[in-house]
Amino acid sequence: YYFPCQRWLAVEEDDGQIVRELVPVDEAFVKKDSENDGQSLATLGLEQKAKSTTYTVKVKTGDKKNAGTDANVFITLYGNKDDTGMASLVGTGQHLDEFTVESVDIGDLKKIKIGHDNKGNSTGWFLEWVEIDAPSLGQCLKFPCGRWLDKSEDDGAIERIIFPAELQTTEYIPFVPYEITVYTSDVFGAGTDADVFIVLYGSDGICTQQKSLCLNKREQRMYFERNSVNQFIVELEDVGDIIEKIRIGHKGGGLNSGWHLDRVAIRRLLPNGK
């Protein structure tokens, strides 16, 4: 079994997670003797990411006095097939926070467990609600809490299991993963450190949201170098079988924002892996 990662396990890098779920990929992808070993490993990471689901987690701390916490907060998402395992929510407890949790398919989201480790000077936390957006499921679910997670308040619990409020669930057409390959030209000064974004347009006026290809400034510095090829797996609205055009650009700013783009290749990844 081969479990590629190609991701940081670091609080200050990538999405801040220090634990990752890895799924096995086909041995054929691992070309140990090939000159393109680095490229094949990168492809492995992308193949694996295409099998994963990304959840956007919003956490709302209450407006009560001393409602925030400086303890380490964690969350586990439970579906009808599996759970995500414990994910860290670094820097929670400051009014409204947003995080990304990545996992293999856990099925329909049924409940969450959220809590903290009670370490710090001001650990008590009043949690108002948690909202979880699962684009691949086409669902945004609200988990109301309105209780303390504090050893000296309420029932003294510092972790709680919360169920979604059915009337507050928003349904939409599920997103699909696209493999986007960007080729930067081989001319002087072609690379950019700017925030590159893309929009896909299908027939009948359907289009995706505008989506940044990099997660953070560190990735912006790493990618889109002169004469480079960078691949991304991005979950976006499904524009159908035909992509009529794309809109790609960047947000400027910084010293090296100008970019000479050679071409872009896009593959829509359907459930059978094609």
Side-chain angles (χ1 to χ4, degrees):
Y1 294 87
Y2 292 91
F3 296 87
C5 183
Q6 299 289 298
R7 301 280 299 275
W8 282 97
L9 285 80
V11 168
E12 69 283 356
E13 300 281 4
D14 202 338
D15 58 2
Q17 293 302 324
I18 54 172
V19 179
R20 296 201 180 280
E21 283 196 349
L22 303 179
V23 292
V25 296
D26 193 331
E27 181 184 352
F29 279 111
V30 182
K31 306 166 187 164
K32 296 223 165 143
D33 309 329
S34 99
E35 297 172 7
N36 301 330
D37 201 30
Q39 184 59 42
S40 67
L41 278 172
T43 306
L44 276 168
L46 286 165
E47 292 289 332
Q48 192 175 56
K49 194 168 181 184
K51 296 178 183 177
S52 299
T53 300
T54 303
Y55 301 92
T56 300
V57 179
K58 287 183 180 174
V59 179
K60 176 74 165 67
T61 296
D63 294 327
K64 296 178 180 289
K65 187 180 178 185
N66 300 323
T69 182
D70 58 4
N72 298 304
V73 176
F74 60 83
I75 190 169
T76 305
L77 281 54
Y78 295 87
N80 61 347
K81 296 181 187 174
D82 202 351
D83 65 72
T84 60
M86 193 184 292
S88 299
L89 304 182
V90 179
T92 314
Q94 310 302 318
H95 193 54
L96 182 63
D97 301 286
E98 187 171 308
F99 307 91
T100 300
V101 175
E102 216 172 79
S103 169
V104 294
D105 182 21
I106 62 170
D108 293 333
L109 199 49
K110 295 297 184 186
K111 64 181 180 181
I112 62 171
K113 180 164 73 176
I114 189 165
H116 61 78
D117 62 1
N118 207 43
K119 291 180 180 173
N121 297 318
S122 177
T123 58
W125 183 32
F126 189 87
L127 172 62
E128 198 71 61
W129 48 257
V130 178
E131 184 182 272
I132 299 178
D133 191 9
S136 66
L137 300 175
Q139 281 190 329
C140 185
L141 299 100
K142 193 79 161 275
F143 295 80
C145 180
R147 295 184 70 178
W148 285 97
L149 284 79
D150 187 342
K151 288 202 166 177
S152 58
E153 297 276 0
D154 203 334
D155 60 359
I158 57 171
E159 65 176 43
R160 297 196 181 281
I161 289 175
I162 315 174
F163 296 88
E166 286 187 26
L167 294 176
Q168 291 180 278
T169 298
T170 306
E171 304 265 352
Y172 56 91
I173 296 170
F175 284 25
V176 297
Y178 288 89
E179 177 190 273
I180 299 173
T181 309
V182 179
Y183 299 80
T184 298
S185 305
D186 187 12
V187 299
F188 180 74
T192 184
D193 290 339
D195 184 4
V196 173
F197 61 81
I198 195 166
V199 182
L200 312 186
Y201 293 83
S203 54
D204 301 323
I206 301 169
C207 73
T208 68
Q209 62 183 275
Q210 180 173 301
K211 182 80 171 179
S212 291
L213 294 178
C214 292
L215 293 171
N216 50 44
K217 283 193 161 52
R218 181 187 156 273
E219 287 195 355
Q220 290 173 32
R221 290 192 298 271
M222 278 177 53
Y223 299 140
F224 313 119
E225 297 291 307
R226 174 180 173 176
N227 196 29
S228 67
V229 180
N230 303 118
Q231 273 191 324
F232 306 89
I233 300 290
V234 182
E235 283 180 322
L236 290 167
E237 295 91 338
D238 189 350
V239 298
D241 293 333
I242 297 169
I243 299 176
E244 292 203 336
K245 66 177 182 178
I246 66 170
R247 184 169 175 264
I248 188 165
H250 62 75
K251 297 177 182 175
L255 296 172
N256 306 304
S257 62
W259 183 34
H260 198 290
L261 171 63
D262 186 65
R263 65 191 190 277
V264 179
I266 298 178
R267 189 163 64 112
R268 180 165 161 250
L269 300 173
L270 298 173
N272 60 6
K274 296 192 177 163

